[in-house]
Each structure stands twice: as structure tokens, then as C-alpha cells.
């Protein structure tokens, strides 16, 4: 089942239609669907697809040779080229007269096994590109390698690519397209539990309840998702134990550097290095209050729902899960699910606001959206605004998000109005989001204020 990626496929097909040499770099985290995208793109085209393996240069050259010769002759042969240069020269020759795609998946595995491969590509691209109809695709899951050794200014291949694509997880709208049988609320819960990573979405069964899905995956020792975060870290880093401790600390409430350092038992300088690597992997994000570029108030958050859910609930219940007591483990998790979904709902609401902007229906043409936190000067207490977006110095948008079963009352709206008044914009538009709707008093107050929009979760789904 292939869902989404319409924009990426359209971009690839446009490049393909140029009928001249194209060099596309595709990269993104593991499990995000890069291979599926490439296979969907090349399925009706003349293409040589090769996936690198974590082995030596000889093994990778033999595998590449088999793929090239099978395309060229139509049968599997054991002949191997003498070098990567000889193999790639042959591909460039094949592409002199016809449009041909060469897609090398997991390129970092091949390049690490053959240190001269990047320079070989550089040589052949410079020599052959003007007379070639080759569309070269290099794809990799090692974000740091692709950015440092393929895309970076000092990399041999710098300046040769004609396009690059960073493949991200699906947003909430695309995630919903995976499931026909989940209720609307369950779709949000599933998004909160596994995010928009295609490989994880495939582990969810919409014929079952959310509870059963959690029990079958996160609370089941034989499930692939049960060990997924730790296995991914082992593939990417050398000391997974400390990384595990840092992510667990963040997932269980430590967000500032000093708090993380104390919880992990390492110095802030050590934690800073590990956090930098986790940010490069796309697992952790550093946030500052909206409008502040550098701030002592910066916090660290987990930037992947599956990791956030796993590290929040699995490690503390490991002993119970190991004894096969999935029901007991779930009973311990369930009371915290609504609170856990608060941040997830904020993200869904942000995506709703972006959709409004892209459709030309937003009263504020913001450039970015973020969260703000700081001191309320009137009360001298710490306060927070869930969503904030600025058009210019005169116009801004504020949002508050409530994932509760009760209807949101007028008190929440009044508090939001008061918080917005900490800022001195001439025009302020307030969006109040609620899972279950609003009380009559809240709706009446909205009509009085005239700069407030009340949005239910059902309204969000209508815009998908």
C-alpha cells in the first residue's frame, strides 16, 4: 500500500522528464519511506536499483555488478566489474542513448566501504553529464553522513546535484489516510503513539482498538516495535546507553539542560554533545520561546511521537512486560494518555493553521509557528502560550489547545485573552481548539470579542 508523497513523486517525475543528466540526493531517517518512494517512482521506468549493504567494497561491487548486468542482459549473471569506476562508466554509456535511472539506496554503506567512490562519481559526472541521459539517485538513512559527505560544501559531490529531498514523516492528514476503520479520536491517538512514520503505521491494525494495538506492539516482547528505538540507536551511535538515559530523562519530564544533566548523572558539557547528536538524528529538538533566537529558557523535546511514547511508558514498565502482563502494563499507562496527548494535539492544531494559511484562509500571514513561555508581568508567575505566530510587528495569532473530554468553558478563553495582552500587537487573532467542543458561555463570549475563532477537533478533520 503506497500512500502520500504526491509532491515528492511529482518533483521526481519533473526531473525525469527533462531527459538530461539529473543527480538527486534523497535522505531522511530510517523507516520514513525513502525506499518505497524510489520503488514507486521507478516501477514503470527503465532503472537499475541497487541497495548497499553493511559489508566490504568487494561485496558491494559484486551486488552492484549483478544489478547492472541483469538490467543490461535481462538475466542474472555472476560477472563482476573490476572496479566501481568500471561499473559506473558502463552505466553512463548505457544512458547515452536512452533515459535510465540508477538508484543507489543506502549509499553511505557503499561509500564507507569504498573511500574513493565519491571522487569516482565526481570524475564521471564532470566527464559525462553533458552527453548523458542518466538520472542518478543517491539515497541514505544516515543523516549526518549524507549532510557531511554528500551535501556539504567540502564534499567531493558538492555542486553536482540538481536536486535534494529530505524525506520527513507524514503529517496528521496523510496519517489518517492509512486507516479506514479507526474512529476520529483513535486516529489522533494512533498519530500520537507512532507518529507519521510509514513503517510504524503499518504495525497498527485499524480493525482493533487502540488499547489492543498498544498491547500487541509496545507491550509485547516479540513485536518489532518493542525494541525499535534501542535498535535504531545501536545502528546510529556508539554509546546507546547514555543516549537512552538522555531520551528517557526528556520523556519523563526533564526538559532543561540542568535537569537532564542531573537526571542522567553526567555533566552538562557531556549531555550537550549527546543532545547535539540526537538533534542531528532528528530525534530531539531544541525549542526557545517564540520570538527569541537564543535563550536561557531553551528546552529540549522529543521530536518523534513513537520515541516519545516508547520512552515515556515502556522502560518504567519493562519488568511487567517481560512477564507477559500486557493488561497490567496498559492499566498503568491509560491514566496518563490524555495528558500525553496534549502536546500531540498542539501539533495537530499547528498543522491545521498551516493548512489555513496555504489555502489563503488565515487572517494572519505568519512565517512560523511556535510556543511561548515566560513570566507574566502582571502576576509575576510563569505562563505559557501553546501556539504563537507573527505576521509583522502589528499583527499576530495566538492559539490554545485542550484535549479533554469536557467542553471548554469561558474561563479558558478569558485566560487566553489575558495572556495575549502581555504582547502589544495592534491586531490579535485568537484560536481556541478543543477536542470536545465549547460551552454556551464560551461561544457567547467569542461572539462578543469578534477576534476569536473556536475550533473543534471535528472542524480540524473537515479541513484534511
Amino acid at each position: 500500500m503506497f500512500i502520500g508523497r504526491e509532491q515528492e513523486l511529482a518533483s521526481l517525475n519533473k526531473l525525469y522528464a527533462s531527459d538530461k543528466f539529473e543527480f538527486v540526493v534523497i535522505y531522511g531517517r530510517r523507516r520514513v519511506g525513502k525506499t518505497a518512494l524510489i520503488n514507486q517512482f521507478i516501477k514503470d521506468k527503465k532503472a537499475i536499483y541497487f541497495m548497499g549493504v553493511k559489508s566490504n567494497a568487494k561485496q558491494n561491487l559484486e551486488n552492484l555488478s549483478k544489478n547492472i548486468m541483469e538490467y543490461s542482459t535481462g538475466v542474472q549473471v555472476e560477472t563482476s566489474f573490476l572496479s566501481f569506476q568500471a561499473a559506473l562508466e558502463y552505466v553512463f554509456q548505457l544512458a547515452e542513448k536512452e533515459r535510465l535511472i540508477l538508484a543507489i539506496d543506502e549509499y553511505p554503506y557503499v561509500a564507507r566501504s569504498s573511500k574513493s567512490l565519491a571522487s569516482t562519481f565526481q570524475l564521471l559526472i564532470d566527464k559525462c553529464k553533458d552527453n548523458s541521459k542518466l538520472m542518478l539517485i543517491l539515497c541514505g538513512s544516515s543523516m549526518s553522513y549524507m549532510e557531511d559527505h554528500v551535501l556539504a560544501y567540502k564534499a567531493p559531490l558538492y555542486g553536482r546535484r540538481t536536486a535534494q529531498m529530505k524525506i520527513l514523516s507524514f503529517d496528521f492528514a496523510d496519517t489518517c489516510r492509512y486507516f479506514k476503520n479507526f474512529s476520529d479520536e483513535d486516529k489522533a491517538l494512533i498519530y500520537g503513539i507512532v507518529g507519521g512514520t510509514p513503517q510504524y503505521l503499518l504495525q497498527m491494525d485499524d480493525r482493533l482498538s487502540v488499547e489492543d494495538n498498544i498491547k500487541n506492539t509496545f507491550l509485547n516482547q516479540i513485536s518489532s516495535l518493542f525494541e525499535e528505538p534501542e535498535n535504531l540507536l545501536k545502528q546510529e551511535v556508539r554509546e546507546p546507553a547514555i543516549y537512552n538515559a538522555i531520551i528517557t530523562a526528556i520523556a519523563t519530564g526533564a526538559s532543561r539542560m540542568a535537569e537532564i544533566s542531573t537526571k542522567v548523572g553526567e555533566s552538562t558539557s557531556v549531555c550537550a554533545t549527546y543532545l547535539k547528536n540526537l538533534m542531528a538524528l532528528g530525534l530531539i529538538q531544541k525549542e526557545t520561546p517564540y520570538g527569541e533566537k537564543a535563550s536561557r529558557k531553551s528546552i529540549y523535546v522529543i521530536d518523534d511521537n513513537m520515541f516519545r511514547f516508547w520512552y515515556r511508558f515502556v522502560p518504567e514498565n519493562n519488568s511487567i512486560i517481560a512477564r507477559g502482563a500486557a493488561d497490567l502494563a496498559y492499566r498503568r499507562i491509560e491514566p496518563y494518555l490524555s495528558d500525553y496527548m496534549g502536546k500531540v494535539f498542539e501539533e495537530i492544531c499547528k498543522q491545521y493553521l498551516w493548512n489555513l494559511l496555504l489555502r489563503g484562509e488565515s487572517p494572519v500571514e505568519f512565517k512560523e509557528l511556535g510556543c511561548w513561555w515566560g513570566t507574566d508581568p502582571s502576576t509575576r508567575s510563569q505562563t505559557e502560550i501553546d501556539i504563537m505566530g507573527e505576521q509583522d510587528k502589528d499583527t499576530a495569532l495566538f492559539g490554545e489547545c485542550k484535549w479533554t473530554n469536557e467542553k471548554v468553558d469561558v474561563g479558558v478563553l478569558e485566560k487566553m485573552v489575558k495572556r495575549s495582552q502581555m504582547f502589544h500587537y495592534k491586531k490579535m487573532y485568537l484560536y481556541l481548539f478543543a477536542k470536545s467542543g465549547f460551552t454556551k458561555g464560551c461561544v457567547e463570549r467569542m461572539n462578543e470579542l469578534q477576534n476569536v475563532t473556536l475550533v473543534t477537533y471535528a472542524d480540524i478533520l473537515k479541513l484534511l
Side-chain angles (χ1 to χ4, degrees):
M1 179 173 63
F2 188 86
I3 288 174
R5 305 297 185 208
E6 289 89 357
Q7 188 174 342
E8 291 88 345
L9 281 171
S11 297
L12 289 170
N13 280 312
K14 187 176 181 181
L15 292 165
Y16 181 82
S18 75
D19 213 36
K20 61 185 178 65
F21 176 77
E22 301 285 359
F23 172 23
V24 186
V25 178
I26 297 177
Y27 67 114
R29 282 183 40 212
R30 297 184 191 281
R31 318 287 195 262
V32 83
K34 301 181 299 298
T35 300
L37 171 65
I38 292 171
N39 286 332
Q40 182 73 12
F41 169 62
I42 67 174
K43 69 177 184 179
D44 56 352
K45 301 176 179 70
K46 293 182 177 180
I48 300 168
Y49 173 82
F50 162 62
M51 178 175 280
V53 293
K54 211 170 185 179
S55 183
N56 58 17
K58 182 175 182 293
Q59 179 70 63
N60 276 300
L61 178 58
E62 287 177 358
N63 292 347
L64 174 61
S65 299
K66 286 178 183 177
N67 292 136
I68 294 171
M69 296 313 295
E70 185 175 357
Y71 170 82
S72 179
T73 65
V75 295
Q76 288 189 339
V77 292
E78 296 300 319
T79 306
S80 182
F81 290 94
L82 295 176
S83 66
F84 280 106
Q85 182 166 337
L88 295 171
E89 280 180 337
Y90 183 70
V91 174
F92 271 96
Q93 287 172 13
L94 290 174
E96 284 178 1
K97 296 179 181 178
E98 65 177 7
R99 191 53 155 166
L100 175 63
I101 301 167
L102 172 62
I104 300 182
D105 206 346
E106 292 301 353
Y107 170 75
Y109 288 158
V110 193
R112 285 180 178 130
S113 73
S114 174
K115 303 298 182 187
S116 63
L117 182 60
S119 297
T120 299
F121 268 120
Q122 178 189 11
L123 171 73
L124 293 175
I125 290 170
D126 291 348
K127 176 184 172 185
C128 305
K129 65 180 180 180
D130 292 336
N131 300 309
S132 177
K133 294 186 177 185
L134 181 68
M135 183 171 181
L136 172 64
I137 299 174
L138 298 185
C139 178
S141 299
S142 175
M143 304 271 280
S144 57
Y145 190 94
M146 296 301 286
E147 289 171 348
D148 295 342
H149 298 279
V150 181
L151 298 171
Y153 177 73
K154 293 183 179 179
L157 290 172
Y158 180 80
R160 273 82 185 170
R161 72 182 184 275
T162 55
Q164 69 281 322
M165 292 183 180
K166 185 175 183 179
I167 307 301
L168 303 174
S169 297
F170 287 141
D171 61 12
F172 179 57
D174 275 332
T175 298
C176 288
R177 292 166 63 186
Y178 260 83
F179 305 112
K180 299 285 187 278
N181 299 318
F182 279 134
S183 69
D184 289 343
E185 182 177 339
D186 284 353
K187 288 175 183 176
L189 288 166
I190 291 294
Y191 182 67
I193 291 163
V194 292
T197 302
Q199 192 64 40
Y200 305 149
L201 292 170
L202 291 172
Q203 309 301 312
M204 300 292 110
D205 187 343
D206 65 357
R207 296 167 299 177
L208 304 175
S209 66
V210 171
E211 176 181 343
D212 285 339
N213 272 289
I214 292 173
K215 289 177 183 176
N216 290 346
T217 53
F218 292 95
L219 309 183
N220 179 5
Q221 280 191 304
I222 67 169
S223 160
S224 61
L225 276 183
F226 179 74
E227 293 184 338
E228 174 71 0
E230 291 183 332
N231 286 339
L232 270 181
L233 280 179
K234 286 173 186 175
Q235 290 180 325
E236 299 287 356
V237 301
R238 292 177 182 173
E239 297 171 318
I242 297 179
Y243 286 99
N244 266 319
I246 288 173
I247 302 174
T248 302
I250 296 171
T252 52
S255 58
R256 301 180 189 275
M257 178 66 80
E259 297 169 344
I260 296 167
S261 172
T262 300
K263 212 160 189 177
V264 173
E266 297 284 350
S267 68
T268 54
S269 59
V270 168
C271 288
T273 301
Y274 285 94
L275 282 165
K276 184 179 178 182
N277 293 338
L278 286 169
M279 286 189 284
L281 290 172
L283 298 176
I284 298 294
Q285 185 177 3
K286 185 179 182 180
E287 292 186 349
T288 55
Y290 185 90
E292 299 181 26
K293 291 185 179 177
S295 173
R296 290 182 180 179
K297 294 185 283 187
S298 294
I299 61 172
Y300 295 89
V301 296
I302 298 176
D303 199 29
D304 178 275
N305 285 350
M306 191 278 288
F307 269 72
R308 186 167 162 257
F309 184 87
W310 193 96
Y311 279 96
R312 171 65 182 85
F313 295 116
V314 173
E316 67 181 30
N317 289 296
N318 241 330
S319 298
I320 298 170
I321 297 167
R323 286 164 174 77
D327 291 340
L328 175 58
Y330 183 79
R331 285 201 299 274
R332 293 191 174 188
I333 292 170
E334 188 179 25
Y336 301 98
L337 277 179
S338 183
D339 181 60
Y340 170 86
M341 282 297 295
K343 283 292 179 186
V344 177
F345 188 48
E346 284 179 27
E347 177 56 34
I348 291 172
C349 295
K350 285 179 186 175
Q351 292 178 24
Y352 169 86
L353 290 170
W354 276 110
N355 283 338
L356 275 188
L357 179 71
L358 297 175
R359 290 161 64 117
E361 298 174 11
S362 174
V364 179
E365 293 187 358
F366 53 83
K367 302 169 186 68
E368 60 179 340
L369 293 174
C371 177
W372 183 90
W373 60 95
T375 304
D376 184 338
S378 64
T379 61
R380 295 183 181 178
S381 61
Q382 289 296 303
T383 190
E384 184 176 317
I385 296 170
D386 292 341
I387 301 174
M388 184 173 171
E390 185 183 75
Q391 176 175 312
D392 49 42
K393 291 182 179 179
D394 294 328
T395 310
L397 173 153
F398 298 90
E400 184 76 16
C401 313
K402 296 296 179 185
W403 184 263
T404 60
N405 290 327
E406 298 79 31
K407 290 186 176 183
V408 172
D409 200 2
V410 66
V412 176
L413 177 53
E414 296 290 10
K415 191 180 293 184
M416 184 185 179
V417 170
K418 190 175 180 183
R419 287 174 181 172
S420 70
Q421 290 168 350
M422 293 188 296
F423 302 86
H424 302 289
Y425 297 101
K426 292 178 182 177
K427 294 180 181 178
M428 292 188 286
Y429 296 86
L430 311 185
Y431 280 80
L432 183 53
F433 298 91
K435 170 189 172 186
S436 306
F438 306 90
T439 63
K440 183 181 177 183
C442 192
V443 174
E444 289 173 350
R445 183 63 176 136
M446 172 203 71
N447 292 328
E448 292 172 7
L449 290 167
Q450 295 186 331
N451 68 333
V452 176
T453 303
L454 302 182
V455 184
T456 64
Y457 175 55
D459 294 330
I460 292 174
L461 292 173
K462 289 174 188 173
L463 198 69
L464 296 184

